[in-house]
Amino acid sequence: MNVAILGVGTVGSSVVKILKKNKELIKARSGVEINPVIGFVRDLSKKRDVDIELSDDINSILKRDDIDAYVELMGGVDRPYKIVSEILKQEKPVVTANKAMLAYHRYALQNLAKNTPFGFEASVAGGIPIIKALKEGLSANKIEKIVGILNGTSNYILTNMMQNGVNFDEALTKAQNLGYAESDPSFDVDGFDAAHKLLILSSIAYSVHGDPEDILVKGIRKISSEDIFFANEFEYVIKLLAISKIEDKKVELRVHPAFINKDNILAKVDGVMNAVSVYGDALKHSMYYGPGAGGDATASAVVADLIDIAKGNKSPMLGYNTTLQNVKLLSQNDIKTKYYLRVRVEDKKGVLATIANVMSENRISIDSFLQKPRLKDEKYTTLFFTTHTSLEADIKKVIEILENMKFVLNRPFMIRIES
Ligand code: NAP
Ligand code: HSE
């Protein structure tokens, strides 16, 4: 089986290397030799330590009769979508790791693919075979909930900030050097990469429609040393969580930093590792763990898809099509969870009472409160609150009111608490 590799960067190079290094084993498992015959790149003059013929002419690659399958590893949304659509029109198999493209075009691609094999295992949680688990291993279950750490870069940054006191910028640079981050790392740290992955998993689980902009997405940029102090004091760990739940045909989708208890199994998922907890009606809880980013880990999933194609495995792209479920997205204002609020205020009489009053008037019940003694000559102090389960709309209203109070220095910062 001759394969064209469209994009020979971090992941594409690893795919070529694994196909060559494990050639005999892959042939024994798939029944055929899988040969990477041509790579598509932008810059032919770039130095690369990978042995494959390269071209910067996509049209000539797409016209070749000797290519049996294409692997898209370029990144981006519209350009790869156009290229992949052309390949599917030729009824040639496609494998991709491109979650951004799938987040926007997954149903259009499914409609185009019909019976043409389309592998996207590498698009979610790097090397973890979570797509196969959801489409096949868990296919007897009605999926009720998925909770995951789905972005390796932000988990690597948060782990380094919490455990080693490394600052945000330094940790991000390290993650970039290790090949974990997207070409635009704001996708990682602002939560959108995890949102792309959450939409893909939720489409397999409950045929949910919607774009990343339709769901609640918050990133990790504003996590401060004070939040880390509070987390340590109260036995929490901060993780960027991706959460998807279905109840009464309403799907709740959200990505945001969250406090989770130190004894929560997800709290132990550190560095570039990802984990996905899946709750189904028959199996109840199962969990999948492994490297969520990096060239070789991701290429492991890409090559597994190629082996599946070589073996002739065909299943609809997103698995069983449950569009008849007709599920809708839950409005962001209707989300219910617990909250942590950090409020920087003037340290003077009546401030605490006023804030407590605003919370009470907006149906927010305080669970705990902490105030660090004010430093000498400092006018301001920081108040930390946690709440009982509350409505997102109510906590947003409280933040809006507090932000406009004279004694509040900055917009209060909120982190959701998940148990
Ligand atoms: P990368 O290192 O930036 O590599 C991208 C490759 O695509 C490069 O070879 C680049 O060519 C080529 N390319 C990009 N735009 C092009 C264009 N317009 N025309 C021709 N060639 C173009 O990216 P990567 O980290 O390997 O990621 C590839 C895909 O895998 C992305 O969709 C990413 O989201 C996904 N992914 C990455 C990881 C990871 O850990 N890195 C994990 C899971 C999924 P040049 O080399 O000439 O610049
Ligand atoms: N940039 C992504 C991450 C790559 O850090 O998780 C894996 O999808």
Side-chain angles (χ1 to χ4, degrees):
M1 185 168 94
N2 286 341
V3 178
I5 313 287
L6 310 181
V8 190
T10 305
V11 183
S13 305
S14 285
V15 168
V16 175
K17 285 179 196 160
I18 290 172
L19 284 173
K20 292 193 178 215
K21 183 167 134 274
N22 293 348
K23 188 174 177 161
E24 292 310 319
L25 182 113
I26 289 168
K27 185 177 173 189
R29 289 191 176 144
S30 66
V32 294
E33 230 173 60
I34 303 180
N35 298 312
V37 292
I38 185 82
F40 172 53
V41 294
R42 198 169 15 202
D43 180 0
L44 284 171
S45 69
K46 215 186 242 182
K47 273 214 156 66
R48 304 166 203 267
D49 64 341
V50 63
D51 178 21
I52 184 172
E53 186 190 332
L54 296 175
S55 160
D56 60 359
D57 179 0
I58 189 67
N59 293 323
S60 68
I61 298 177
L62 296 182
K63 277 189 199 137
R64 279 176 64 156
D65 292 334
D66 63 331
I67 306 286
D68 304 301
Y70 289 83
V71 178
E72 185 280 304
L73 297 168
M74 298 162 56
V77 176
D78 292 329
R79 178 135 161 89
Y81 173 54
K82 195 164 167 268
I83 293 172
V84 167
S85 300
E86 281 180 36
I87 299 166
L88 291 174
K89 282 178 196 156
Q90 295 180 34
E91 299 182 6
K92 290 204 175 167
V94 172
V95 173
T96 183
N98 189 335
K99 53 269 161 142
M101 172 182 74
L102 291 170
Y104 288 96
H105 298 300
R106 59 200 183 281
Y107 289 104
L109 287 168
Q110 173 165 263
N111 289 338
L112 266 180
K114 294 190 186 78
N115 294 322
T116 304
F118 190 112
F120 57 105
E121 185 62 72
S123 66
V124 180
I128 307 175
I130 184 63
I131 303 287
K132 210 175 181 72
L134 270 181
K135 271 173 65 170
E136 297 175 18
L138 298 173
S139 58
N141 287 258
K142 196 167 162 187
I143 304 298
E144 293 159 348
K145 181 172 157 188
I146 300 169
V147 181
I149 294 175
L150 297 182
N151 185 263
T153 301
S154 41
N155 202 42
Y156 180 86
I157 294 172
L158 287 173
T159 304
N160 271 279
M161 285 171 74
M162 294 205 67
Q163 293 180 4
N164 311 322
V166 176
N167 73 37
F168 179 92
D169 292 328
E170 201 184 323
L172 172 59
T173 305
K174 278 187 176 178
Q176 287 177 296
N177 292 339
L178 288 163
Y180 301 157
E182 298 302 301
S183 53
D184 175 356
S186 58
F187 280 97
D188 296 294
V189 298
D190 293 331
F192 278 95
D193 178 75
H196 296 157
K197 294 164 177 166
L198 189 67
L199 278 166
I200 295 169
L201 295 182
S202 307
S203 301
I204 300 169
Y206 5 81
S207 294
V208 73
H209 284 256
D211 289 338
E213 291 72 19
D214 301 328
I215 69 175
L216 191 159
V217 183
K218 302 282 172 203
I220 62 167
R221 275 185 213 267
K222 290 187 182 159
I223 305 282
S224 75
S225 54
E226 286 190 303
D227 305 321
I228 289 171
F229 155 81
F230 185 91
N232 283 328
E233 269 316 272
F234 288 86
E235 302 285 309
Y236 286 124
V237 168
I238 306 174
K239 294 289 177 194
L240 183 73
L241 289 191
I243 300 171
S244 157
K245 296 181 202 171
I246 186 162
E247 219 180 297
D248 300 332
K249 298 209 167 190
K250 287 249 170 88
V251 179
E252 176 178 337
L253 296 181
R254 50 192 166 104
V255 172
H256 52 72
F259 281 130
I260 56 176
N261 284 314
K262 273 192 176 146
D263 56 9
N264 184 319
I265 192 161
L266 287 174
K268 297 172 176 65
V269 177
D270 285 333
V272 73
M273 302 310 264
N274 279 191
V276 193
S277 267
V278 183
Y279 298 80
D281 60 348
L283 183 66
K284 308 298 179 211
H285 180 205
S286 58
M287 194 167 162
Y288 309 83
Y289 170 85
D296 285 358
T298 310
S300 159
V302 170
V303 174
D305 275 346
L306 284 172
I307 292 173
D308 255 6
I309 290 168
K311 287 198 298 199
N313 283 357
K314 282 188 179 180
S315 85
M317 183 192 142
L318 293 171
Y320 170 63
N321 191 335
T322 49
T323 39
L324 287 177
Q325 277 195 342
N326 198 20
V327 294
K328 298 250 175 330
L329 286 179
L330 183 80
S331 152
Q332 292 181 22
N333 280 339
D334 293 335
I335 288 168
K336 280 188 193 144
T337 189
K338 296 179 180 177
Y339 297 89
Y340 151 96
L341 270 191
R342 161 168 53 84
V343 196
R344 188 87 176 138
V345 293
E346 261 183 76
D347 193 4
K348 64 179 189 187
K349 191 170 60 163
V351 166
L352 182 57
T354 309
I355 294 178
N357 219 18
V358 170
M359 291 206 189
S360 157
E361 279 168 2
N362 287 281
R363 296 161 294 281
I364 303 289
S365 167
I366 296 168
D367 184 33
S368 74
F369 165 70
L370 176 77
Q371 175 175 0
K372 277 205 277 184
R374 174 160 56 97
L375 296 175
K376 201 166 164 255
D377 302 328
E378 260 269 30
K379 187 175 164 196
Y380 293 95
T381 188
T382 305
L383 309 180
F384 304 88
F385 299 87
T386 66
T387 76
H388 291 289
T389 301
S390 314
L391 200 58
E392 183 90 6
D394 290 339
I395 198 84
K396 279 188 351 215
K397 182 81 187 153
V398 164
I399 291 173
E400 200 182 293
I401 296 172
L402 294 184
E403 186 181 13
N404 290 308
M405 289 190 146
K406 270 202 213 123
F407 57 76
V408 175
L409 186 61
N410 303 314
R411 184 175 167 81
F413 182 64
M414 172 250 277
I415 298 181
R416 295 161 187 84
I417 304 173
E418 296 298 319
S419 43

